[in-house]
Amino acid sequence: MEENQEKKAQEEQVQDPELNVEEQENTDNLSEKEENTDKGKKNIFSRKRDKEKAKVQELEAELEKLKAEKAELNDRFLRLFSEFDNYKKRVSKEKLDLIATASEKVIVNLLPVIDDFERAIAANEKADNIDSIKEGFNLIYNKLLQMMKRFDVEEIQAKGEEFNTDFHEAVTHFPAQKEEDKGKVIDVTEKGYKLKDKVIRYAKVVVGQ
């Protein structure tokens, strides 16, 4: 019985050779498709790896660029800091030199006034005329005022002016004899002075009330 079935199967294979060829072709096609699929997957993974590698390289390049920029900025900062520190030292020195020079100028201009006082004192020891003594003091005083003007020093106007705390310092208040004198300076106990627009000594005044 089994021998008959096997024989029948062999006969069928002999009778349908085209069927066997078709099955083989289908098998080959399936293997080829699987192989192509594997190649496609490999190509996809390969392209993905290439993209990732390119991205990493791009990020590394960007990182190196940022490091270079940071180093440049740090170098510029150190240079600017050094220049600013030198500038501060130079300005401080110039200020000290300016103060010393300004003091020197004032002293040099005061020396002739001192000379005049010394000559006046020596002359007054032998002088009998009081008018000549007064004239000598007035000349020295006016000379001193002229020197102060050269240094932009001027007297603060006070008497008869409205009391102004920007320029005046009230030492006392006194009843005003006239209504219009209320709130005004009616006397000056010590003159005030300005150096250009800066008050260097407030005028001490008596204010009417």
Side-chain angles (χ1 to χ4, degrees):
M1 181 74 176
E2 290 179 359
E3 292 178 0
N4 292 332
Q5 289 179 351
E6 184 178 348
K7 185 177 180 181
K8 185 178 181 180
Q10 291 176 354
E11 289 176 355
E12 288 177 353
Q13 289 179 356
V14 172
Q15 291 175 358
D16 297 326
E18 293 182 358
L19 182 60
N20 293 333
V21 172
E22 184 177 351
E23 288 179 354
Q24 183 64 38
E25 287 179 353
N26 290 337
T27 302
D28 293 342
N29 289 336
L30 182 60
S31 299
E32 185 177 352
K33 285 181 181 180
E34 289 177 351
E35 185 178 351
N36 290 335
T37 300
D38 291 339
K39 288 182 179 179
K41 288 181 180 180
K42 289 180 180 179
N43 290 335
I44 291 172
F45 289 133
S46 178
R47 286 195 298 270
K48 188 175 180 180
R49 282 195 299 271
D50 291 342
K51 287 182 179 180
E52 290 177 350
K53 186 177 179 181
K55 186 65 176 178
V56 169
Q57 291 176 346
E58 183 181 347
L59 291 174
E60 288 177 348
E62 185 69 20
L63 180 61
E64 291 299 322
K65 181 181 177 182
L66 291 173
K67 286 182 178 179
E69 290 178 355
K70 178 187 175 183
E72 182 182 356
L73 289 173
N74 190 51
D75 182 65
R76 288 173 60 185
F77 170 76
L78 292 175
R79 288 176 183 273
L80 288 173
F81 181 80
S82 178
E83 289 176 3
F84 180 69
D85 188 52
N86 292 334
Y87 169 77
K88 286 197 302 182
K89 291 178 181 178
R90 185 170 63 251
V91 169
S92 298
K93 184 177 182 301
E94 288 176 354
K95 284 183 178 179
L96 293 174
D97 292 341
L98 182 61
I99 292 170
T101 304
S103 301
E104 181 183 348
K105 287 181 180 179
V106 173
I107 293 170
V108 168
N109 281 272
L110 277 174
L111 293 178
V113 178
I114 294 173
D115 294 337
D116 288 343
F117 270 115
E118 290 176 347
R119 282 191 288 266
I121 291 169
N124 290 342
E125 291 178 356
K126 302 175 182 179
D128 296 328
N129 188 349
I130 192 67
D131 291 334
S132 64
I133 296 174
K134 290 180 180 179
E135 184 180 357
F137 274 108
N138 285 331
L139 288 172
I140 296 172
Y141 175 70
N142 289 327
K143 188 173 185 178
L144 184 58
L145 289 180
Q146 291 299 321
M147 187 206 75
M148 299 295 279
K149 285 183 179 179
R150 287 199 299 272
F151 286 98
D152 297 316
V153 177
E154 60 177 319
E155 180 185 339
I156 294 174
Q157 298 301 314
K159 193 170 183 178
E161 300 289 330
E162 291 285 343
F163 177 71
N164 188 342
T165 54
D166 291 337
F167 305 106
H168 309 138
E169 180 183 336
V171 294
T172 186
H173 292 77
F174 196 81
Q177 295 180 353
K178 299 177 182 179
E179 186 66 25
E180 58 266 23
D181 288 338
K182 289 184 177 181
K184 291 185 178 181
V185 176
I186 59 178
D187 196 13
V188 179
T189 61
E190 186 177 84
K191 290 182 178 180
Y193 290 92
K194 293 188 301 181
L195 176 60
K196 295 185 178 179
D197 293 328
K198 181 182 178 182
V199 176
I200 57 176
R201 191 174 79 177
Y202 290 90
K204 294 181 179 180
V205 299
V206 177
V207 183
Q209 64 176 9

